[in-house]
Amino acid sequence: MELVIQNLSKTYPGGVRALRDVSLTIPTGMFGLLGPNGAGKSTLMRTLATLQEPESGTVRLGELDLLREKDAVRRVLGYLPQEFGLYPNLSAEVVLDHFATLKGISSGKERARAVTALLEQTNLAAVRRSPVGGFSGGMKQRLGIAIALLGAPKLVIVDEPTAGLDPTERHRFLNLLSEIGQDIVVILSTHIVEDVRELCSNVAIIAAGQVRAQGSPDALIERLRGTIWRRRISRDALAAVRAQHRVISTRLIAGAPEIRVHAASSPGDGFVQVEPDLEDVYFEQVTAASAGEAA
Ligand code: ADP
């Protein structure tokens, strides 16, 4: 089953064009939607989660018209929003049982079985009776994914799930996502390139409401081969170099700036050609978008 998004546009009251003619074909497996803050990721995720209407465009999930057959879509949808509230005094088990009821799992036995399986899958079985108000950020996100996985969804959407997690929790969460399965469509929206690099066989880069690039990480990286150059420079020289070259990123290496420049041939003395990585792909596209270049 594929998710096929065609020509989706959304302008908010006030005039922000959050989505501009977005078209994407998303196969089963883990798909990364990568973009900076304000790119339109959440707008797209909320639209796909049937919570918000676009002005124009169509979305199909297999045979379903996602924008028209909302009830049918919701039965096969799992959504972990960027922010969600939970009653702090309820236990993980009670919360999950409640959401299982909302998902339409009416048999108590079946619910108990689903809740237990998901608590185990998300490594929360030991704290099943603890109030969720005391959970760490990582535990809350794992409970969120357990809620999203209730009812065996065919489309799972997770919006910026690792923001605010420490490295151990982040890894645990990404491992959990990687185990969801390759038979369903999983969309991971994030501004963290590493999350996508580790998990996703396909990615799209979105900036200023537009899809800038899409494909496998390796194919996107390959397109930049031979065009990325790095150089250590002093802080004072940064502005001058920026004016002269297309600087796509600045990293601090032991406190000193190291720039990466996109150029078809050597930008000059002191530059060393490097193997491109997915961050270069991402920053190149974000730089082009903020310079107002066409996608
Ligand atoms: P992202 O998730 O990539 O950070 P969003 O979809 O949240 O991007 O936002 C895209 C753009 O739309 C931003 O400029 C944001 O300020 C604007 N926006 C988001 N939600 C609303 C809203 N409800 N009303 C008006 N503008 C909004």
Side-chain angles (χ1 to χ4, degrees), residues 25-28 30-33 196 199-204 214-217:
T25 297
I26 304 183
T28 52
M30 193 72 116
F31 186 90
L33 182 74
V196 166
L199 284 181
C200 301
S201 41
N202 282 290
V203 307
Q214 57 179 307
S216 72

Side-chain angles (χ1 to χ4, degrees), residues 9-292:
S9 290
K10 170 76 182 178
T11 304
Y12 284 110
V16 177
R17 290 178 68 197
L19 298 176
R20 305 176 188 216
D21 210 18
V22 167
S23 296
L24 284 172
T25 297
I26 304 183
T28 52
M30 193 72 116
F31 186 90
L33 182 74
L34 201 51
N37 287 333
K41 300 182 300 297
S42 292
T43 301
L44 182 57
M45 297 302 96
R46 285 195 303 264
T47 308
L48 298 179
T50 74
L51 299 174
Q52 177 172 324
E53 296 287 335
E55 265 120 55
S56 53
T58 58
V59 186
R60 265 192 15 250
L61 175 64
E63 297 296 303
L64 290 176
D65 179 336
L66 186 138
L67 300 175
R68 295 226 169 91
E69 297 168 87
K70 292 201 168 73
D71 288 339
V73 170
R74 284 171 191 157
R75 280 195 283 277
V76 296
L77 170 77
Y79 176 46
L80 175 59
Q82 216 169 11
E83 283 179 16
F84 60 99
L86 294 167
Y87 289 107
N89 297 329
L90 299 184
S91 68
E93 189 172 54
V94 169
V95 168
L96 262 181
D97 183 76
H98 169 71
F99 279 100
T101 307
L102 291 181
K103 260 267 140 121
I105 310 177
S106 52
S107 139
K109 236 189 204 160
E110 207 184 311
R111 265 201 324 276
R113 206 168 30 232
V115 166
T116 299
L118 282 166
L119 286 168
E120 269 160 23
Q121 191 181 343
T122 53
N123 213 358
L124 292 170
V127 291
R128 61 191 299 157
R129 300 213 166 81
S130 309
V132 298
F135 279 16
S136 69
M139 289 159 85
K140 277 186 190 143
Q141 286 303 71
R142 280 185 275 133
L143 180 58
I145 204 75
I147 294 168
L149 291 177
L150 278 164
K154 294 198 162 50
L155 169 63
V156 172
I157 295 170
V158 285
D159 197 356
E160 303 259 357
T162 63
L165 298 190
D166 71 33
T168 311
E169 283 177 333
R170 179 175 158 265
H171 268 282
R172 188 178 255 189
F173 188 84
L174 293 179
N175 281 336
L176 176 59
L177 279 187
S178 74
E179 286 163 9
I180 290 180
Q182 292 298 309
D183 307 337
I184 63 174
V185 177
V186 183
I187 306 178
L188 166 66
S189 147
T190 181
H191 63 272
I192 303 171
V193 178
E194 256 181 84
D195 286 0
V196 166
R197 186 68 180 134
E198 287 174 27
L199 284 181
C200 301
S201 41
N202 282 290
V203 307
I205 296 171
I206 175 172
Q210 280 183 305
V211 176
R212 307 281 318 186
Q214 57 179 307
S216 72
D218 288 344
L220 294 175
I221 290 168
E222 193 52 39
R223 293 205 320 229
L224 285 187
R225 188 168 297 286
T227 67
I228 302 297
W229 309 80
R230 91 171 134 76
R231 187 183 155 188
R232 291 267 184 104
I233 58 164
S234 69
R235 278 167 202 272
D236 304 341
L238 204 54
V241 173
R242 273 187 198 284
Q244 225 183 341
H245 301 291
R246 188 183 180 95
V247 176
I248 57 168
S249 63
T250 308
R251 308 176 190 193
L252 284 177
I253 310 284
E258 181 185 274
I259 54 165
R260 286 165 88 98
V261 164
H262 180 236
S265 57
S266 173
D269 280 352
F271 282 96
V272 180
Q273 195 182 100
V274 287
E275 287 283 301
D277 58 25
L278 194 61
E279 275 204 353
D280 294 321
V281 174
Y282 174 67
F283 287 126
E284 211 287 302
Q285 290 299 335
V286 172
T287 306
S290 57

